[in-house]
Amino acid sequence: MTPHTFALPLPAAYPVGAVLAFHGRDRQARAERVSGQALTKAVATDRGPCVVSIELSQTRADCQVSAHLSFAAARGLVRRLLGLDWDVAGFEAGVAGQSPLGELVLRQRGLVIPMAATPFEALSWAITGQQINLAVAITLRRRLIEHAGGEAGDGLRCHPAAAEVASLTPEQLGALGYSKSKARALALVSQRVVTGELPLERWLAAGADPAEISSALLEIPGIGPWTVNYTLLRGFGCADCSLHGDVAVRNALQRLLGLARKPTQGEAERWLAQWSPWRSLVAAHLWAALG
């Protein structure tokens, strides 16, 4: 099948380096590869493994996507990976002149939030990354991909779909390095996606109410508000996620406000509340401020 080939314009001040850094966090990555200003990523689809290749300049993204997807789905996938659906201009106008956040946003103008290829990939990463440092989380993710992800060619494997993870027992996940609580949570989530109790793709397509998604996820043992909010942000593009439980957000907030100590989760939640409905982009700017 002939792959889809197309170009997408990039907005002014698009942060090419930051987007590639997000996707290239794992230097030994099996599901994605960053080289120069190019990203190649393998994605599991209902029709088989799909390979996405994106070459970025400052003004455009030249894209090639396997024809397993429709043209519209291919464009949508690239837009997700590049974070092109956030209303960055509206956010920046809304916080302009409001110190100190407005000054931070001005310094980091154009910042976007790149998303995971699928809501399930975002949720899996959120569970994997609970209360551990980034390096350990990256290692666990890589092991999961190597163990359960399908081959896509050119040395790449897809991040496993829910059915592939559901086929693993908590004990097998534990052997990969997952704690008992994370293994149970990941196994339960995968099983509920397969049975339709967690219809992640339907929720995404329908633009489901974040409260509905949150309620369903919070019923699962081992999933709390941080995991839910991270999933809503990276998996569903929810613009108003409160990441007050994120340690990095609180560290950055301490620095931004010149506080003598790191704010508590409650204090961070109250400060972030004033920026609704833009809290996701506020969190992204706080993350970026830590470098």
Side-chain angles (χ1 to χ4, degrees):
M1 292 184 290
T2 303
H4 301 298
T5 302
F6 54 92
L8 294 176
L10 298 176
Y14 183 79
V16 171
V19 170
L20 291 174
F22 170 76
H23 289 295
R25 290 170 296 176
D26 185 358
R27 298 294 177 86
Q28 304 174 51
R30 296 302 309 277
E32 54 276 307
R33 182 184 303 125
V34 171
S35 177
Q37 296 205 147
L39 165 66
T40 306
K41 182 173 175 66
V43 180
T45 76
D46 292 341
R47 299 182 180 180
C50 168
V51 177
V52 181
S53 300
I54 307 170
E55 181 78 36
L56 295 171
S57 70
Q58 198 56 56
T59 59
R60 62 184 271 169
D62 291 298
C63 315
Q64 181 172 291
V65 183
S66 301
H68 291 84
L69 298 176
S70 69
F71 182 68
R75 285 176 60 91
L77 174 57
V78 171
R79 291 187 65 85
R80 282 178 62 85
L81 295 174
L82 299 183
L84 293 178
D85 292 326
W86 299 92
D87 183 11
V88 171
F91 165 69
E92 291 178 350
V95 301
Q98 302 194 48
S99 182
L101 179 62
E103 296 168 0
L104 175 65
V105 170
L106 182 62
R107 291 197 300 271
Q108 299 177 160
R109 188 170 67 88
L111 188 70
V112 299
I113 303 176
M115 293 172 62
T118 67
F120 180 73
E121 183 176 339
L123 178 53
S124 299
W125 171 254
I127 293 171
T128 298
Q130 291 170 347
Q131 298 179 333
I132 57 176
N133 66 45
L134 181 61
V136 175
I138 285 171
T139 298
L140 290 179
R141 177 181 184 267
R142 186 190 316 131
R143 290 174 182 169
L144 181 65
I145 291 168
E146 290 174 342
H147 188 78
E151 289 278 1
D154 196 24
L156 292 175
R157 299 182 76 94
C158 301
H159 186 285
E164 293 166 320
V165 179
S167 70
L168 305 177
T169 65
E171 291 73 25
Q172 288 174 307
L173 290 168
L176 299 179
Y178 283 82
S179 67
K180 289 184 178 180
S181 62
K182 288 183 182 181
R184 284 196 302 269
L186 189 53
L188 275 172
V189 160
S190 305
Q191 291 159 9
R192 293 189 184 187
V193 171
V194 171
T195 61
E197 295 172 83
L198 287 177
L200 301 181
E201 293 296 334
R202 179 172 64 78
W203 282 336
L204 177 65
D209 184 349
E212 177 186 357
I213 301 170
S214 298
S215 177
L217 290 176
L218 288 171
E219 291 179 359
I220 301 172
I223 292 186
W226 180 88
T227 302
V228 170
N229 276 295
Y230 191 91
T231 302
L232 288 171
L233 183 148
R234 297 284 190 192
F236 292 92
C238 180
D240 200 30
C241 297
S242 180
L243 275 295
H244 56 275
D246 189 273
V247 173
V249 165
R250 290 161 57 209
N251 285 338
L253 192 54
Q254 177 184 3
R255 180 185 299 180
L256 178 70
L257 301 180
L259 304 176
R261 59 167 177 81
K262 182 167 60 180
T264 65
Q265 290 192 32
E267 290 167 341
E269 183 177 19
R270 288 189 290 275
W271 186 86
L272 288 166
Q274 68 185 303
W275 305 110
S276 181
W278 305 108
R279 286 178 292 176
S280 295
L281 282 164
V282 172
H285 277 274
L286 290 173
W287 282 328
L290 294 176

